[in-house]
């Protein structure tokens, strides 16, 4: 099958092919640099490419007939290995750039222990990544995708024009996002109405994040999935869609900042074998303040997306692609 140009892409199959090819090529582009551990940005880009490839294959699963190695499970396994290494790089960058310059000399000195532990941990994870990129699972994924792109195979739904199926394609992920229990963290019901509990002190927020952190992290992942899927179709929608996409991305990033801060706190506690308030009191205060500020940014978005009007408007936006798409 000849890949349609940007202006002539019409069917679900065309979109599937274009998305799979784009993200597969991006993943391959950075592979050599990641194997050599040359540049943290290469790792970041390859991880993103693999994640977007996974979203594309999953989103268009009803349209494409891909070989067995091109499975959500296989791609997810490789993406997670890359992610483990990238998470350590992010942790190091955050410690070095966001926190260390604001610490007293004594705490900066104590951080050497953390950086040493981080370097050792990273070396172990890097070996795991390099092994993954040489093993059969990754090779078979690449071979299978090469062959599929050379001679793609589709399911019957691939012949639908994109306008016939686009809202139905997006609605399940939008619903998963809007119905996620993470929206209810820090709220209470009063006669079936959701009330957001505001003006919490940092201590109260810390307690909430300790007990509900996993749910919030899960909502962050759901936001990321929805964002990646929505980004596949930005050329088919207008300003309202772009605005919702920006908000979904913003939600993902705010919740991500909260999660990264919590992960850093847990990691440091593990390294020092004690509460970081004891070893690094200034850093502990900065981390708590960081989570408090993120919570303040989160609550207005939480309030907005719990409103029925916002949900209806989001659905209506999805229902109405650009008029040119419908002609």
């Amino acid at each position: 099958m000849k890949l349609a140009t940007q202006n002539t892409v019409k069917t679900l199959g065309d979109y599937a092919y274009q998305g799979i090819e784009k993200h597969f090529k991006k993943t391959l582009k950075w592979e050599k640099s990641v194997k050599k551990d040359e540049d943290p940005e290469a790792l970041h880009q390859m991880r993103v490419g693999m994640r977007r490839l996974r979203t594309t294959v999953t989103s268009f699963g009803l349209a494409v007939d891909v070989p067995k190695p091109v499975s959500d499970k296989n791609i997810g396994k490789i993406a997670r290995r890359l992610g483990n290494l990238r998470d350590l790089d992010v942790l190091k960058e955050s410690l070095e750039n966001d926190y260390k310059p604001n610490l007293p000399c004594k705490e900066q000195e104590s951080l050497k222990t953390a950086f040493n532990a981080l370097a050792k941990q990273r070396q172990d994870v890097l070996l795991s990544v390099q092994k993954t990129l040489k093993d059969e699972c990754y090779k078979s994924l690449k071979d299978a995708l090469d062959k599929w792109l050379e001679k793609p195979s589709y399911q019957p739904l691939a012949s639908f024009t994109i306008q016939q199926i686009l809202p139905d394609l997006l609605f399940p992920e939008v619903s998963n996002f809007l119905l996620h229990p993470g929206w209810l963290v820090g709220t209470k019901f009063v006669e079936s109405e959701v009330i957001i509990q505001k003006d919490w002190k940092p201590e109260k927020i810390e307690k909430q994040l300790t007990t509900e952190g996993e749910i919030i992290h899960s909502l962050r992942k759901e936001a990321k999935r929805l964002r990646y899927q929505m980004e596949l179709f930005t050329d088919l929608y207008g300003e309202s869609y772009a605005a919702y996409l920006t908000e979904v991305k913003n939600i993902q990033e705010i919740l991500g900042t909260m999660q990264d801060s919590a992960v850093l706190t847990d990691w440091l506690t593990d390294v020092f074998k004690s509460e970081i308030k004891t070893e690094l009191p200034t850093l502990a205060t900065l981390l708590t303040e960081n989570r408090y500020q993120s919570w303040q940014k989160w609550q207005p978005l939480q309030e907005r997306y719990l409103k029925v009007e916002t949900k209806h408007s989001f659905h209506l936006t999805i229902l109405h692609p650009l008029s040119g798409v419908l002609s």
Side-chain angles (χ1 to χ4, degrees), residues 112-168:
K112 286 181 181 176
T113 303
F115 284 121
N116 289 336
L118 192 57
K120 185 178 183 306
Q121 197 174 335
R122 191 188 184 282
Q123 191 57 37
D124 292 340
V125 178
L126 173 62
L127 290 172
S128 171
V129 166
Q130 289 169 333
K131 183 173 179 291
T132 297
L133 297 182
K134 289 176 185 172
D135 71 14
E136 195 51 46
C137 177
Y138 182 64
K139 285 179 182 173
S140 61
L141 171 67
K142 287 201 300 181
D143 290 345
L145 277 170
D146 270 331
K147 287 172 184 170
W148 187 86
L149 288 167
E150 189 66 35
K151 191 178 177 183
S153 175
Y154 298 98
Q155 299 195 50
L157 283 175
S159 297
F160 271 118
T161 56
I162 197 72
Q163 68 267 28
Q164 287 174 297
I165 205 165
L166 187 52
D168 294 325

Side-chain angles (χ1 to χ4, degrees), residues 27-86:
T27 301
L28 292 182
K29 177 184 174 183
W30 301 101
E31 180 190 319
K32 193 178 288 186
S33 184
V34 170
K35 279 181 177 175
K36 293 180 179 177
D37 195 29
E38 290 176 337
D39 180 11
E41 183 60 23
L43 173 64
H44 171 58
Q45 292 297 336
M46 187 174 182
R47 178 202 198 182
V48 170
M50 192 62 79
R51 281 181 162 180
R52 289 181 185 273
L53 177 63
R54 185 185 187 186
T55 298
T56 306
V57 168
T58 306
S59 298
F60 293 112
L62 73 173
V64 296
D65 183 16
V66 290
K68 196 174 180 183
V70 190
S71 66
D72 179 79
K73 184 181 176 184
N74 264 6
I75 301 172
K77 178 184 170 186
I78 297 160
R80 273 192 298 277
R81 294 272 168 83
L82 294 167
N84 291 340
L85 189 58
R86 174 62 186 164

Side-chain angles (χ1 to χ4, degrees), residues 285-296:
T285 301
L286 288 172
L287 286 162
T288 301
E289 177 63 22
N290 175 296
R291 290 190 284 271
Y292 179 78
Q293 294 299 336
S294 295
W295 187 270
Q296 303 313 307

Side-chain angles (χ1 to χ4, degrees), residues 152-251:
S153 175
Y154 298 98
Q155 299 195 50
L157 283 175
S159 297
F160 271 118
T161 56
I162 197 72
Q163 68 267 28
Q164 287 174 297
I165 205 165
L166 187 52
D168 294 325
L169 205 61
L170 286 165
F171 273 141
E173 207 64 73
V174 172
S175 294
N176 288 340
F177 175 67
L178 294 174
L179 289 172
H180 195 283
W183 292 109
L184 297 179
V185 171
T187 68
K188 60 181 178 180
F189 278 94
V190 178
E191 296 179 355
S192 297
E193 186 182 351
V194 187
I195 305 296
I196 292 178
Q197 303 188 77
K198 298 180 180 177
D199 303 320
W200 276 4
K201 297 283 190 292
E203 300 78 32
K204 178 74 172 173
I205 294 170
E206 288 294 295
K207 190 175 178 183
Q208 189 76 42
L209 289 173
T210 300
T211 56
E212 307 285 1
E214 280 303 311
I215 297 174
I216 288 175
H217 181 45
S218 175
L219 176 57
R220 174 208 187 177
K221 290 195 285 188
E222 195 60 62
K224 189 184 296 182
R225 275 192 289 271
L226 176 58
R227 171 195 163 190
Y228 284 175
Q229 192 183 46
M230 287 180 72
E231 284 176 345
L232 294 170
F233 306 109
T234 48
D235 58 322
L236 300 177
Y237 284 97
E239 289 180 10
S240 177
Y241 185 90
Y244 276 111
L245 178 54
T246 299
E247 283 190 336
V248 169
K249 184 180 178 181
N250 199 14
I251 288 163

